[in-house]
């Protein structure tokens, strides 16, 4: 998706001047900057949600703010809206998004410090699709910050309530069983409870 969008914007930058039309000043740069992380989307209650990140103005090194946007459409009962879910220092966040009628689950891999040696961590949020508020916050970090963790995917089970998160890591996560550089975390009743996940390493 990101590559396609970038190709469209770059084509526009070349075609418009060739047709005698000036490209909008800063417009293409802004669009590319806004979509600097891969954009992912999901649908809940007829509404399309997009998760992306934006470089916060005036930050050097950059701070990437993670935004969940609800798009206005004929199938959505509510207007366009946006909510901030977190931020990443220097590193462009990795993004994951899934949804059903119970809610929206957003996941992201971020760096929380300017230090070059600071680890990557994972955040997971349950967002109410109507109110656009964070209902539940969870996440993963390697014990005592001695390594990093990266989210590879989110998935909602066939029961509609179990959320599974999987990825890789370079250390031990809190409360994990097993061992290895990969993990799977299972949240039972993710959208309707605050039951902590079971985490299995392999």
């Amino acid at each position: 998706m990101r590559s396609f969008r970038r190709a469209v914007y770059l084509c526009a930058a070349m075609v418009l001047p060739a047709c005698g039309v000036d490209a909008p000043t800063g417009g293409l740069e802004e669009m590319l900057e806004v979509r600097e992380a891969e954009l992912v989307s999901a649908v809940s209650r007829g509404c399309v949600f997009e998760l992306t990140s934006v470089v916060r103005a005036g930050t050097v090194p950059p701070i990437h703010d993670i935004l969940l946007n609800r798009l206005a459409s004929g199938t959505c009962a509510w207007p366009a809206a946006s909510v901030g879910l977190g931020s990443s220092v220097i590193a462009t966040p990795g993004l994951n998004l899934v949804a059903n009628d119970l809610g929206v689950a957003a996941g992201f891999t971020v760096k929380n410090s300017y230090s070059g040696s600071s680890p990557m961590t994972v955040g997971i949020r349950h967002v109410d699709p109507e109110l656009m508020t964070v209902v539940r916050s969870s996440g993963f970090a390697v014990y005592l910050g001695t390594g990093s963790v990266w989210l590879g995917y989110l998935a909602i089970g066939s029961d509609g309530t179990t959320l599974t998160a999987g990825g890789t890591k370079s250390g031990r996560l809190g409360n994990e069983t097993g061992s290895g550089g990969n993990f799977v975390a299972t949240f039972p009743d993710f959208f309707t409870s605050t039951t902590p996940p079971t985490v299995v390493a392999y």
Side-chain angles (χ1 to χ4, degrees):
M1 176 65 76
R2 178 178 58 176
S3 297
F4 173 77
R5 287 175 181 265
R6 287 181 183 268
V8 169
Y9 297 152
L10 292 174
C11 285
M14 292 183 288
V15 170
L16 287 176
C19 296
V21 179
D22 292 331
T25 303
L28 295 174
E29 269 185 29
E30 289 170 8
M31 284 189 286
L32 290 174
E33 182 180 60
V34 167
R35 302 307 185 195
E36 47 83 28
E38 73 177 295
L39 183 147
V40 290
S41 63
V43 177
S44 176
R45 303 187 199 175
C47 300
V48 175
F49 293 82
E50 291 185 342
L51 185 65
T52 189
S53 68
V54 182
V55 175
R56 191 182 302 176
T59 57
V60 179
I63 296 175
H64 307 260
D65 290 319
I66 300 166
L67 302 175
L68 179 68
N69 302 307
R70 184 178 65 207
L71 308 184
S73 72
T75 62
C76 186
W78 310 296
S82 182
V83 61
L85 300 183
S87 60
S88 180
V89 178
I90 302 175
T92 301
L95 305 175
N96 298 86
L97 187 69
V98 291
N100 62 17
D101 285 350
L102 291 177
V104 179
F108 41 86
T109 303
V110 297
K111 185 178 178 68
N112 297 308
S113 168
Y114 287 105
S115 169
S117 60
S118 67
M120 303 294 288
T121 63
V122 168
I124 296 178
R125 305 287 185 265
H126 167 201
V127 178
D128 183 288
E130 177 182 1
L131 302 177
M132 291 296 284
T133 55
V134 175
V135 179
R136 177 181 184 177
S137 296
S138 186
F140 306 101
V142 169
Y143 183 65
L144 296 179
T146 55
S148 291
V149 57
W150 298 269
L151 184 63
Y153 69 88
L154 289 177
I156 298 174
S158 58
D159 59 6
T161 63
T162 300
L163 181 74
T164 302
T168 59
K169 61 190 182 67
S170 61
R172 185 172 182 81
L173 304 180
N175 301 318
E176 75 173 36
T177 60
S179 62
N182 304 288
F183 76 93
V184 174
T186 304
F187 295 82
D189 303 316
F190 177 79
F191 296 111
T192 57
S193 78
T194 56
T195 304
T198 57
V199 182
V200 177
Y202 64 97

